[in-house]
Amino acid sequence: TTSFEVTLTRGPSGVLGLMIQSDSDNNVVVKKLYPGEPAHACGLLRIGDIIKSINDIALETKSNAEVVSLLKNEGPNVKLLVVRAESDGPAQATIPDLQQSSLAEDLKRQGNQMMRESQFAAAKE
């Protein structure tokens, strides 16, 4: 596992842009990152990351409601201590990954279209 600190600064909307949930071990886990919001824009957080503390306040004994309250009310800058399992993949694809995926999908669509057209032409003959 890897641990690191991330400081998020609230944007104009006042939100940090992440959704959390408690897992079966009562860990606070990042469930969702909202595009364009600070938690996503920082580029460091991933789905599945475990938040251990908020502004040096340990979360082990906090309820989900208490954690949400801390996230909402801890001021404009929120420091998170985050733990990540080494095997966890990235929460967001990189631009080259997206381009490669898009290219593969385009080629597949073109291939399917050409197959349909040749089947149609064969049926007409």
Side-chain angles (χ1 to χ4, degrees), residues 8 11 19-20 24-25 27 30 33 35 49 51 71 76 84 88 95 104 106-107 111 115-116 122:
L8 302 176
M19 182 185 296
I20 58 161
S24 59
D25 296 325
N27 290 313
V30 176
L33 298 169
D49 282 349
I51 301 172
L71 287 170
R84 176 179 302 147
D88 287 350
I95 295 300
D106 287 346
L107 289 173
M115 209 164 38
R116 282 193 297 275

Side-chain angles (χ1 to χ4, degrees), residues 13-59:
S13 65
V15 300
L16 296 173
L18 73 158
M19 182 185 296
I20 58 161
Q21 70 180 28
S22 295
D23 68 9
S24 59
D25 296 325
N26 206 31
N27 290 313
V28 176
V29 180
V30 176
K31 182 177 180 181
K32 184 173 183 176
L33 298 169
Y34 293 93
E37 298 294 349
H40 180 264
C42 78
L44 298 172
L45 293 173
R46 297 178 180 176
I47 307 285
D49 282 349
I50 297 171
I51 301 172
K52 294 303 239 177
S53 70
I54 299 171
N55 288 345
D56 298 318
I57 300 168
L59 304 181

Side-chain angles (χ1 to χ4, degrees), residues 26 28 51-63 66-67 70 74 79-81:
N26 206 31
V28 176
I51 301 172
K52 294 303 239 177
S53 70
I54 299 171
N55 288 345
D56 298 318
I57 300 168
L59 304 181
E60 294 102 33
T61 61
K62 303 288 185 201
S63 70
E66 289 172 313
V67 173
L70 282 171
E74 274 297 304
K79 182 174 71 171
L80 307 176
L81 175 61

